[in-house]
mmCIF file of all heavy atoms in Angstrom:
data_model
loop_
_atom_site.group_PDB
_atom_site.id
_atom_site.type_symbol
_atom_site.label_atom_id
_atom_site.label_comp_id
_atom_site.label_asym_id
_atom_site.label_seq_id
_atom_site.Cartn_x
_atom_site.Cartn_y
_atom_site.Cartn_z
ATOM 1 N N SER X 22 187.154 89.989 155.502
ATOM 2 C CA SER X 22 187.645 90.783 156.631
ATOM 3 C C SER X 22 187.318 92.259 156.459
ATOM 4 O O SER X 22 187.216 93.002 157.438
ATOM 5 C CB SER X 22 189.158 90.599 156.792
ATOM 6 O OG SER X 22 189.860 91.172 155.692
ATOM 7 N N MET X 23 187.133 92.702 155.217
ATOM 8 C CA MET X 23 186.851 94.120 154.972
ATOM 9 C C MET X 23 185.413 94.497 155.275
ATOM 10 O O MET X 23 185.076 95.689 155.313
ATOM 11 C CB MET X 23 187.161 94.466 153.511
ATOM 12 C CG MET X 23 188.638 94.397 153.172
ATOM 13 S SD MET X 23 188.993 95.031 151.501
ATOM 14 C CE MET X 23 188.544 93.609 150.516
ATOM 15 N N ALA X 24 184.555 93.509 155.492
ATOM 16 C CA ALA X 24 183.124 93.788 155.609
ATOM 17 C C ALA X 24 182.775 94.662 156.813
ATOM 18 O O ALA X 24 181.759 95.353 156.794
ATOM 19 C CB ALA X 24 182.336 92.484 155.659
ATOM 20 N N ASP X 25 183.610 94.646 157.860
ATOM 21 C CA ASP X 25 183.300 95.491 159.017
ATOM 22 C C ASP X 25 184.272 96.658 159.172
ATOM 23 O O ASP X 25 184.262 97.345 160.189
ATOM 24 C CB ASP X 25 183.253 94.658 160.297
ATOM 25 C CG ASP X 25 184.622 94.169 160.744
ATOM 26 O OD1 ASP X 25 185.586 94.254 159.945
ATOM 27 O OD2 ASP X 25 184.736 93.692 161.892
ATOM 28 N N TRP X 26 185.086 96.913 158.171
ATOM 29 C CA TRP X 26 186.050 98.008 158.275
ATOM 30 C C TRP X 26 185.363 99.360 158.410
ATOM 31 O O TRP X 26 185.817 100.219 159.174
ATOM 32 C CB TRP X 26 186.971 98.026 157.051
ATOM 33 C CG TRP X 26 188.066 96.991 157.096
ATOM 34 C CD1 TRP X 26 188.210 95.987 158.005
ATOM 35 C CD2 TRP X 26 189.152 96.864 156.177
ATOM 36 N NE1 TRP X 26 189.322 95.229 157.704
ATOM 37 C CE2 TRP X 26 189.905 95.742 156.593
ATOM 38 C CE3 TRP X 26 189.544 97.556 155.037
ATOM 39 C CZ2 TRP X 26 191.056 95.331 155.898
ATOM 40 C CZ3 TRP X 26 190.680 97.149 154.353
ATOM 41 C CH2 TRP X 26 191.430 96.053 154.785
ATOM 42 N N ASP X 27 184.288 99.581 157.670
ATOM 43 C CA ASP X 27 183.624 100.888 157.737
ATOM 44 C C ASP X 27 183.111 101.166 159.147
ATOM 45 O O ASP X 27 183.220 102.285 159.658
ATOM 46 C CB ASP X 27 182.467 100.951 156.740
ATOM 47 C CG ASP X 27 182.935 100.933 155.293
ATOM 48 O OD1 ASP X 27 184.151 101.079 155.056
ATOM 49 O OD2 ASP X 27 182.087 100.769 154.399
ATOM 50 N N GLU X 28 182.548 100.135 159.758
ATOM 51 C CA GLU X 28 182.034 100.293 161.119
ATOM 52 C C GLU X 28 183.171 100.424 162.121
ATOM 53 O O GLU X 28 183.168 101.327 162.972
ATOM 54 C CB GLU X 28 181.157 99.091 161.473
ATOM 55 C CG GLU X 28 180.614 99.137 162.898
ATOM 56 C CD GLU X 28 179.821 97.888 163.257
ATOM 57 O OE1 GLU X 28 179.675 96.983 162.399
ATOM 58 O OE2 GLU X 28 179.351 97.815 164.418
ATOM 59 N N ARG X 29 184.169 99.544 162.002
ATOM 60 C CA ARG X 29 185.215 99.490 163.016
ATOM 61 C C ARG X 29 186.192 100.662 162.939
ATOM 62 O O ARG X 29 186.623 101.180 163.973
ATOM 63 C CB ARG X 29 185.991 98.170 162.892
ATOM 64 C CG ARG X 29 187.077 97.996 163.926
ATOM 65 C CD ARG X 29 187.587 96.584 163.984
ATOM 66 N NE ARG X 29 188.592 96.409 165.023
ATOM 67 C CZ ARG X 29 189.195 95.264 165.305
ATOM 68 N NH1 ARG X 29 188.875 94.178 164.627
ATOM 69 N NH2 ARG X 29 190.099 95.194 166.255
ATOM 70 N N PHE X 30 186.529 101.077 161.731
ATOM 71 C CA PHE X 30 187.593 102.067 161.586
ATOM 72 C C PHE X 30 187.130 103.444 161.114
ATOM 73 O O PHE X 30 187.900 104.399 161.133
ATOM 74 C CB PHE X 30 188.669 101.526 160.637
ATOM 75 C CG PHE X 30 189.306 100.252 161.127
ATOM 76 C CD1 PHE X 30 189.133 99.068 160.436
ATOM 77 C CD2 PHE X 30 190.053 100.235 162.292
ATOM 78 C CE1 PHE X 30 189.708 97.885 160.886
ATOM 79 C CE2 PHE X 30 190.626 99.064 162.764
ATOM 80 C CZ PHE X 30 190.451 97.880 162.056
ATOM 81 N N PHE X 31 185.852 103.547 160.697
ATOM 82 C CA PHE X 31 185.330 104.839 160.260
ATOM 83 C C PHE X 31 184.085 105.276 161.028
ATOM 84 O O PHE X 31 183.485 106.292 160.711
ATOM 85 C CB PHE X 31 185.017 104.804 158.756
ATOM 86 C CG PHE X 31 186.229 104.707 157.887
ATOM 87 C CD1 PHE X 31 186.670 103.477 157.425
ATOM 88 C CD2 PHE X 31 186.953 105.839 157.529
ATOM 89 C CE1 PHE X 31 187.797 103.371 156.613
ATOM 90 C CE2 PHE X 31 188.073 105.750 156.717
ATOM 91 C CZ PHE X 31 188.496 104.505 156.264
ATOM 92 N N GLY X 32 183.678 104.485 162.026
ATOM 93 C CA GLY X 32 182.539 104.876 162.835
ATOM 94 C C GLY X 32 181.205 104.805 162.138
ATOM 95 O O GLY X 32 180.230 105.438 162.574
ATOM 96 N N GLU X 33 181.112 104.043 161.049
ATOM 97 C CA GLU X 33 179.860 103.905 160.314
ATOM 98 C C GLU X 33 178.885 102.992 161.073
ATOM 99 O O GLU X 33 179.282 102.179 161.915
ATOM 100 C CB GLU X 33 180.121 103.303 158.932
ATOM 101 C CG GLU X 33 180.935 104.190 158.010
ATOM 102 C CD GLU X 33 180.084 105.266 157.372
ATOM 103 O OE1 GLU X 33 179.052 104.940 156.767
ATOM 104 O OE2 GLU X 33 180.465 106.444 157.487
ATOM 105 N N ALA X 34 177.616 103.119 160.759
ATOM 106 C CA ALA X 34 176.626 102.198 161.311
ATOM 107 C C ALA X 34 176.848 100.809 160.710
ATOM 108 O O ALA X 34 177.392 100.679 159.609
ATOM 109 C CB ALA X 34 175.219 102.688 160.977
ATOM 110 N N PRO X 35 176.444 99.745 161.411
ATOM 111 C CA PRO X 35 176.572 98.396 160.844
ATOM 112 C C PRO X 35 175.911 98.325 159.478
ATOM 113 O O PRO X 35 174.820 98.867 159.266
ATOM 114 C CB PRO X 35 175.856 97.515 161.875
ATOM 115 C CG PRO X 35 175.956 98.280 163.164
ATOM 116 C CD PRO X 35 175.867 99.720 162.779
ATOM 117 N N ASN X 36 176.598 97.670 158.530
ATOM 118 C CA ASN X 36 176.097 97.677 157.158
ATOM 119 C C ASN X 36 175.176 96.507 156.834
ATOM 120 O O ASN X 36 174.552 96.483 155.770
ATOM 121 C CB ASN X 36 177.260 97.706 156.157
ATOM 122 C CG ASN X 36 178.256 96.580 156.388
ATOM 123 O OD1 ASN X 36 177.894 95.480 156.801
ATOM 124 N ND2 ASN X 36 179.529 96.845 156.115
ATOM 125 N N GLY X 37 175.094 95.537 157.733
ATOM 126 C CA GLY X 37 174.188 94.420 157.515
ATOM 127 C C GLY X 37 174.582 93.493 156.374
ATOM 128 O O GLY X 37 173.764 92.690 155.904
ATOM 129 N N LEU X 38 175.835 93.593 155.927
ATOM 130 C CA LEU X 38 176.263 92.740 154.823
ATOM 131 C C LEU X 38 176.250 91.264 155.212
ATOM 132 O O LEU X 38 176.542 90.903 156.348
ATOM 133 C CB LEU X 38 177.685 93.113 154.382
ATOM 134 C CG LEU X 38 177.888 94.446 153.669
ATOM 135 C CD1 LEU X 38 179.367 94.670 153.392
ATOM 136 C CD2 LEU X 38 177.092 94.494 152.374
ATOM 137 N N THR X 39 175.916 90.437 154.246
ATOM 138 C CA THR X 39 176.073 88.988 154.367
ATOM 139 C C THR X 39 176.887 88.508 153.181
ATOM 140 O O THR X 39 176.916 89.149 152.121
ATOM 141 C CB THR X 39 174.716 88.264 154.357
ATOM 142 O OG1 THR X 39 174.097 88.466 153.069
ATOM 143 C CG2 THR X 39 173.809 88.784 155.465
ATOM 144 N N ARG X 40 177.532 87.376 153.347
ATOM 145 C CA ARG X 40 178.306 86.842 152.217
ATOM 146 C C ARG X 40 177.384 86.517 151.052
ATOM 147 O O ARG X 40 177.746 86.721 149.885
ATOM 148 C CB ARG X 40 179.086 85.603 152.658
ATOM 149 C CG ARG X 40 180.171 85.889 153.686
ATOM 150 C CD ARG X 40 181.034 84.660 153.906
ATOM 151 N NE ARG X 40 181.587 84.619 155.249
ATOM 152 C CZ ARG X 40 182.880 84.494 155.538
ATOM 153 N NH1 ARG X 40 183.768 84.407 154.572
ATOM 154 N NH2 ARG X 40 183.298 84.449 156.783
ATOM 155 N N GLU X 41 176.200 86.016 151.374
ATOM 156 C CA GLU X 41 175.247 85.703 150.304
ATOM 157 C C GLU X 41 174.878 86.959 149.515
ATOM 158 O O GLU X 41 174.806 86.945 148.279
ATOM 159 C CB GLU X 41 173.986 85.065 150.877
ATOM 160 C CG GLU X 41 174.165 83.669 151.444
ATOM 161 C CD GLU X 41 174.628 83.685 152.906
ATOM 162 O OE1 GLU X 41 174.905 84.791 153.440
ATOM 163 O OE2 GLU X 41 174.706 82.591 153.506
ATOM 164 N N GLY X 42 174.628 88.051 150.238
ATOM 165 C CA GLY X 42 174.260 89.294 149.572
ATOM 166 C C GLY X 42 175.388 89.850 148.729
ATOM 167 O O GLY X 42 175.164 90.355 147.616
ATOM 168 N N VAL X 43 176.615 89.792 149.252
ATOM 169 C CA VAL X 43 177.769 90.261 148.485
ATOM 170 C C VAL X 43 177.958 89.397 147.238
ATOM 171 O O VAL X 43 178.216 89.906 146.143
ATOM 172 C CB VAL X 43 179.037 90.250 149.359
ATOM 173 C CG1 VAL X 43 180.288 90.482 148.516
ATOM 174 C CG2 VAL X 43 178.931 91.320 150.452
ATOM 175 N N GLU X 44 177.781 88.083 147.415
ATOM 176 C CA GLU X 44 177.922 87.200 146.250
ATOM 177 C C GLU X 44 176.880 87.537 145.184
ATOM 178 O O GLU X 44 177.197 87.621 143.987
ATOM 179 C CB GLU X 44 177.794 85.730 146.665
ATOM 180 C CG GLU X 44 177.970 84.780 145.486
ATOM 181 C CD GLU X 44 177.876 83.317 145.871
ATOM 182 O OE1 GLU X 44 178.035 82.986 147.066
ATOM 183 O OE2 GLU X 44 177.630 82.496 144.965
ATOM 184 N N ASP X 45 175.649 87.763 145.584
ATOM 185 C CA ASP X 45 174.605 88.094 144.607
ATOM 186 C C ASP X 45 174.937 89.396 143.865
ATOM 187 O O ASP X 45 174.748 89.498 142.640
ATOM 188 C CB ASP X 45 173.251 88.227 145.297
ATOM 189 C CG ASP X 45 172.666 86.877 145.709
ATOM 190 O OD1 ASP X 45 173.142 85.832 145.204
ATOM 191 O OD2 ASP X 45 171.740 86.870 146.544
ATOM 192 N N ALA X 46 175.421 90.387 144.593
ATOM 193 C CA ALA X 46 175.786 91.656 143.952
ATOM 194 C C ALA X 46 176.952 91.460 142.990
ATOM 195 O O ALA X 46 176.999 92.066 141.910
ATOM 196 C CB ALA X 46 176.130 92.700 145.014
ATOM 197 N N TRP X 47 177.875 90.617 143.377
ATOM 198 C CA TRP X 47 179.027 90.326 142.524
ATOM 199 C C TRP X 47 178.606 89.577 141.263
ATOM 200 O O TRP X 47 179.095 89.865 140.160
ATOM 201 C CB TRP X 47 180.052 89.536 143.311
ATOM 202 C CG TRP X 47 181.283 89.139 142.547
ATOM 203 C CD1 TRP X 47 181.755 87.887 142.325
ATOM 204 C CD2 TRP X 47 182.230 90.018 141.911
ATOM 205 N NE1 TRP X 47 182.917 87.914 141.603
ATOM 206 C CE2 TRP X 47 183.231 89.219 141.339
ATOM 207 C CE3 TRP X 47 182.305 91.407 141.781
ATOM 208 C CZ2 TRP X 47 184.306 89.750 140.630
ATOM 209 C CZ3 TRP X 47 183.389 91.944 141.073
ATOM 210 C CH2 TRP X 47 184.366 91.117 140.509
ATOM 211 N N ILE X 48 177.677 88.639 141.410
ATOM 212 C CA ILE X 48 177.186 87.912 140.237
ATOM 213 C C ILE X 48 176.518 88.874 139.256
ATOM 214 O O ILE X 48 176.624 88.711 138.038
ATOM 215 C CB ILE X 48 176.219 86.793 140.647
ATOM 216 C CG1 ILE X 48 176.929 85.774 141.550
ATOM 217 C CG2 ILE X 48 175.630 86.093 139.424
ATOM 218 C CD1 ILE X 48 178.197 85.186 140.972
ATOM 219 N N ALA X 49 175.849 89.901 139.771
ATOM 220 C CA ALA X 49 175.254 90.903 138.874
ATOM 221 C C ALA X 49 176.338 91.583 138.039
ATOM 222 O O ALA X 49 176.139 91.863 136.849
ATOM 223 C CB ALA X 49 174.469 91.930 139.686
ATOM 224 N N HIS X 50 177.490 91.846 138.656
ATOM 225 C CA HIS X 50 178.614 92.428 137.903
ATOM 226 C C HIS X 50 179.098 91.445 136.839
ATOM 227 O O HIS X 50 179.349 91.833 135.684
ATOM 228 C CB HIS X 50 179.752 92.778 138.863
ATOM 229 C CG HIS X 50 180.988 93.298 138.194
ATOM 230 N ND1 HIS X 50 181.043 94.531 137.591
ATOM 231 C CD2 HIS X 50 182.218 92.730 138.016
ATOM 232 C CE1 HIS X 50 182.254 94.718 137.077
ATOM 233 N NE2 HIS X 50 182.980 93.644 137.320
ATOM 234 N N LEU X 51 179.225 90.168 137.214
ATOM 235 C CA LEU X 51 179.675 89.168 136.245
ATOM 236 C C LEU X 51 178.678 89.022 135.102
ATOM 237 O O LEU X 51 179.065 88.859 133.934
ATOM 238 C CB LEU X 51 179.873 87.816 136.937
ATOM 239 C CG LEU X 51 180.894 87.736 138.077
ATOM 240 C CD1 LEU X 51 181.060 86.292 138.537
ATOM 241 C CD2 LEU X 51 182.236 88.322 137.661
ATOM 242 N N GLU X 52 177.385 89.079 135.429
ATOM 243 C CA GLU X 52 176.357 88.973 134.389
ATOM 244 C C GLU X 52 176.454 90.146 133.411
ATOM 245 O O GLU X 52 176.272 89.985 132.196
ATOM 246 C CB GLU X 52 174.957 88.927 135.020
ATOM 247 C CG GLU X 52 174.644 87.640 135.761
ATOM 248 C CD GLU X 52 174.338 86.473 134.816
ATOM 249 O OE1 GLU X 52 174.204 86.710 133.592
ATOM 250 O OE2 GLU X 52 174.249 85.332 135.302
ATOM 251 N N ALA X 53 176.738 91.335 133.935
ATOM 252 C CA ALA X 53 176.883 92.503 133.056
ATOM 253 C C ALA X 53 178.082 92.321 132.126
ATOM 254 O O ALA X 53 178.015 92.679 130.937
ATOM 255 C CB ALA X 53 177.030 93.772 133.887
ATOM 256 N N LEU X 54 179.180 91.782 132.648
ATOM 257 C CA LEU X 54 180.331 91.492 131.793
ATOM 258 C C LEU X 54 179.970 90.479 130.719
ATOM 259 O O LEU X 54 180.297 90.646 129.537
ATOM 260 C CB LEU X 54 181.494 90.946 132.638
ATOM 261 C CG LEU X 54 182.146 91.879 133.648
ATOM 262 C CD1 LEU X 54 183.237 91.131 134.411
ATOM 263 C CD2 LEU X 54 182.735 93.105 132.959
ATOM 264 N N TRP X 55 179.297 89.418 131.159
ATOM 265 C CA TRP X 55 178.900 88.338 130.253
ATOM 266 C C TRP X 55 178.026 88.881 129.121
ATOM 267 O O TRP X 55 178.201 88.519 127.950
ATOM 268 C CB TRP X 55 178.163 87.286 131.069
ATOM 269 C CG TRP X 55 177.608 86.118 130.315
ATOM 270 C CD1 TRP X 55 176.334 85.965 129.861
ATOM 271 C CD2 TRP X 55 178.303 84.927 129.938
ATOM 272 N NE1 TRP X 55 176.188 84.749 129.237
ATOM 273 C CE2 TRP X 55 177.374 84.093 129.267
ATOM 274 C CE3 TRP X 55 179.604 84.472 130.109
ATOM 275 C CZ2 TRP X 55 177.716 82.845 128.766
ATOM 276 C CZ3 TRP X 55 179.944 83.224 129.607
ATOM 277 C CH2 TRP X 55 179.009 82.429 128.948
ATOM 278 N N ALA X 56 177.126 89.789 129.462
ATOM 279 C CA ALA X 56 176.232 90.364 128.450
ATOM 280 C C ALA X 56 176.996 91.191 127.423
ATOM 281 O O ALA X 56 176.556 91.323 126.273
ATOM 282 C CB ALA X 56 175.161 91.223 129.127
ATOM 283 N N ARG X 57 178.132 91.735 127.832
ATOM 284 C CA ARG X 57 178.951 92.531 126.905
ATOM 285 C C ARG X 57 179.976 91.681 126.159
ATOM 286 O O ARG X 57 180.791 92.209 125.400
ATOM 287 C CB ARG X 57 179.685 93.645 127.667
ATOM 288 C CG ARG X 57 178.764 94.669 128.303
ATOM 289 C CD ARG X 57 179.525 95.925 128.685
ATOM 290 N NE ARG X 57 180.569 95.696 129.667
ATOM 291 C CZ ARG X 57 180.398 95.801 130.985
ATOM 292 N NH1 ARG X 57 179.192 96.126 131.467
ATOM 293 N NH2 ARG X 57 181.390 95.592 131.822
ATOM 294 N N GLY X 58 179.959 90.370 126.421
ATOM 295 C CA GLY X 58 180.885 89.484 125.730
ATOM 296 C C GLY X 58 182.221 89.309 126.409
ATOM 297 O O GLY X 58 183.158 88.754 125.825
ATOM 298 N N THR X 59 182.343 89.772 127.658
ATOM 299 C CA THR X 59 183.590 89.621 128.405
ATOM 300 C C THR X 59 183.519 88.356 129.252
ATOM 301 O O THR X 59 182.566 88.186 130.019
ATOM 302 C CB THR X 59 183.824 90.830 129.330
ATOM 303 O OG1 THR X 59 183.876 92.017 128.542
ATOM 304 C CG2 THR X 59 185.128 90.680 130.111
ATOM 305 N N PRO X 60 184.488 87.455 129.166
ATOM 306 C CA PRO X 60 184.462 86.238 129.988
ATOM 307 C C PRO X 60 184.425 86.592 131.475
ATOM 308 O O PRO X 60 185.230 87.407 131.948
ATOM 309 C CB PRO X 60 185.770 85.529 129.616
ATOM 310 C CG PRO X 60 186.136 86.067 128.270
ATOM 311 C CD PRO X 60 185.671 87.489 128.266
ATOM 312 N N TRP X 61 183.510 85.986 132.204
ATOM 313 C CA TRP X 61 183.382 86.325 133.627
ATOM 314 C C TRP X 61 184.592 85.887 134.442
ATOM 315 O O TRP X 61 184.858 86.428 135.518
ATOM 316 C CB TRP X 61 182.100 85.736 134.217
ATOM 317 C CG TRP X 61 181.895 84.261 134.002
ATOM 318 C CD1 TRP X 61 181.076 83.689 133.077
ATOM 319 C CD2 TRP X 61 182.485 83.178 134.731
ATOM 320 N NE1 TRP X 61 181.128 82.312 133.168
ATOM 321 C CE2 TRP X 61 181.974 81.983 134.181
ATOM 322 C CE3 TRP X 61 183.378 83.105 135.799
ATOM 323 C CZ2 TRP X 61 182.354 80.715 134.649
ATOM 324 C CZ3 TRP X 61 183.768 81.861 136.272
ATOM 325 C CH2 TRP X 61 183.261 80.685 135.714
ATOM 326 N N ALA X 62 185.348 84.919 133.928
ATOM 327 C CA ALA X 62 186.491 84.405 134.690
ATOM 328 C C ALA X 62 187.565 85.456 134.927
ATOM 329 O O ALA X 62 188.307 85.373 135.914
ATOM 330 C CB ALA X 62 187.096 83.198 133.977
#
């Protein structure tokens, strides 16, 4: 639900986000944790 908040409530241009893209970016964060020895869970 937050994906369109910037556009709807702050007048920003559409951000073009997709769930797939957000998931991929999030997995990059989990991979960085994993590389440092932190459980991704």
Side-chain angles (χ1 to χ4, degrees):
S22 67
M23 292 188 280
D25 71 347
W26 282 8
D27 292 349
E28 178 184 359
R29 182 166 183 179
F30 300 114
F31 291 95
E33 294 280 307
N36 54 33
L38 290 177
T39 65
R40 294 189 209 234
E41 291 86 355
V43 169
E44 181 179 341
D45 286 344
W47 179 239
I48 299 306
H50 176 70
L51 300 186
E52 290 284 351
L54 294 178
W55 177 263
R57 296 196 298 268
T59 301
W61 53 258

